[in-house]
Amino acid sequence: MKDANLIVGIDHPDDAGVYKLTDDLALILTLDFFTPIVDDPYTFGQITVANSLSDVYAMGGTPLVAMNIICFPEKTMDISILQEILHGGVEKMQEAGVLLVGGHSVEDDELKYGLSVTGTVHPKKVLRNSGAQDGDSLILTKPLGTGIISTAIKADLANETAIAKAVTSMKTLNKKPAELMMNFRVNSCTDITGFGLLGHACEMIEGSDVGIEIYASEVPFFTEALEYAKMGLIPGGTYRNEEFRSGMVDIEHSVNTDLVKLLFDAQTSGGLLISLPQQEAETLMCEMHAFGIVEAAIVGRITRENPGRIVISG
Ligand code: CO
Ligand code: CO
């Protein structure tokens, strides 16, 4: 069924759906839920909410209200764990200025928590994961490696510093970079989650007449994650990303193979990947650094030299 008010639907996979209500107001709708990636329930709640709201920020919108989605093994797990998860979640929503308006829970063998989020955006200011232009620079706002560090946590091999850094990053909202980018001519934006930097970058240029060069040496990552990658602590999702997308990616031989694993690493609550004209990108970078988004970096450029492909340069 065609509907003239549907701005982004399932025909063009993007971070969220967008539906126009009036000439100056559209709804953004998105849903995400997850199994635990950290042991502490409060922290898991915080990370989940940061991750669930991120798609709204990536579309250029403002999240307004949310509903909880809960699967809980009530026969085998103490209810206080669920209370702590929800406590962490609601405090993160408050930080984002998002109201919790309801939700639903079911009994399940495996714990899962997430949100259905509704936000708003001006219909003409929707940011898609396509539309990047020749000459754009690409900004990444968070370091890579949370998937590899989560795998190290599960194997009991992650050190406290690595865990603390990854957790802090995952529970950080993408609200501030999203607000800052609104003052610039952003051509495309998405958030880095399960497909990893390269998977989401592939989506950005797939089927278009432009390609991407990624500057491997400029990409921010957690140093511990590179060590864990060397040890083979790589999540299944990261291998799948590499298998699925390696046909679109050319890697210069000077690029460290363990670093390539990080570029494919499946992220939880990763940063925004923002495509905008080079000079504006440099100004936006300075603003981000001034506002404490210190890991943000220009990690690549959009080019006509390799249409539909990604080149990783050393
Ligand atoms: Co997304
Ligand atoms: Co999502």
Side-chain angles (χ1 to χ4, degrees), residues 15 30 32 55:
D15 292 305
T30 171
D32 276 298
D55 283 327

Side-chain angles (χ1 to χ4, degrees), residues 15 55 190-191 193:
D15 292 305
D55 283 327
T190 191
D191 61 332
T193 51

Side-chain angles (χ1 to χ4, degrees), residues 15-30:
D15 292 305
V18 185
Y19 190 85
K20 187 168 93 170
L21 295 178
T22 67
D23 283 345
D24 51 16
L25 186 66
L27 287 178
I28 301 184
L29 303 129
T30 171

Side-chain angles (χ1 to χ4, degrees), residues 170-189:
M170 289 188 287
K171 69 184 186 188
T172 299
L173 293 167
N174 281 329
K175 182 174 194 269
K176 194 71 218 176
E179 285 169 355
L180 293 174
M181 79 175 169
M182 297 318 288
N183 301 318
F184 293 82
R185 281 185 300 140
V186 173
N187 288 319
S188 176
C189 180

Side-chain angles (χ1 to χ4, degrees), residues 135-140 181 184-186 274-289 296-301:
D136 280 2
S137 289
L138 281 175
I139 293 178
L140 175 65
M181 79 175 169
F184 293 82
R185 281 185 300 140
V186 173
I274 307 164
S275 186
L276 74 171
Q278 186 211 335
Q279 286 198 335
E280 297 203 38
E282 277 160 26
T283 314
L284 176 54
M285 277 289 307
C286 292
E287 286 193 13
M288 285 187 180
H289 291 164
I298 292 178
V299 299
R301 67 183 179 113

Side-chain angles (χ1 to χ4, degrees), residues 222-301:
F222 300 108
T223 48
E224 293 87 349
L226 191 63
E227 290 167 35
Y228 301 149
K230 257 184 214 131
M231 294 159 64
L233 295 166
I234 299 183
T238 300
Y239 281 118
R240 284 193 293 278
N241 290 338
E242 188 169 8
E243 263 171 56
F244 179 50
R245 289 300 191 179
S246 55
M248 268 177 82
V249 180
D250 300 308
I251 303 162
E252 288 184 0
H253 55 79
S254 59
V255 179
N256 178 324
T257 50
D258 297 312
L259 184 61
V260 173
K261 293 281 185 280
L262 277 165
L263 301 179
F264 279 113
D265 189 34
Q267 301 298 283
T268 297
S269 194
L272 297 178
L273 183 66
I274 307 164
S275 186
L276 74 171
Q278 186 211 335
Q279 286 198 335
E280 297 203 38
E282 277 160 26
T283 314
L284 176 54
M285 277 289 307
C286 292
E287 286 193 13
M288 285 187 180
H289 291 164
F291 276 94
I293 309 163
V294 292
E295 305 270 16
I298 292 178
V299 299
R301 67 183 179 113

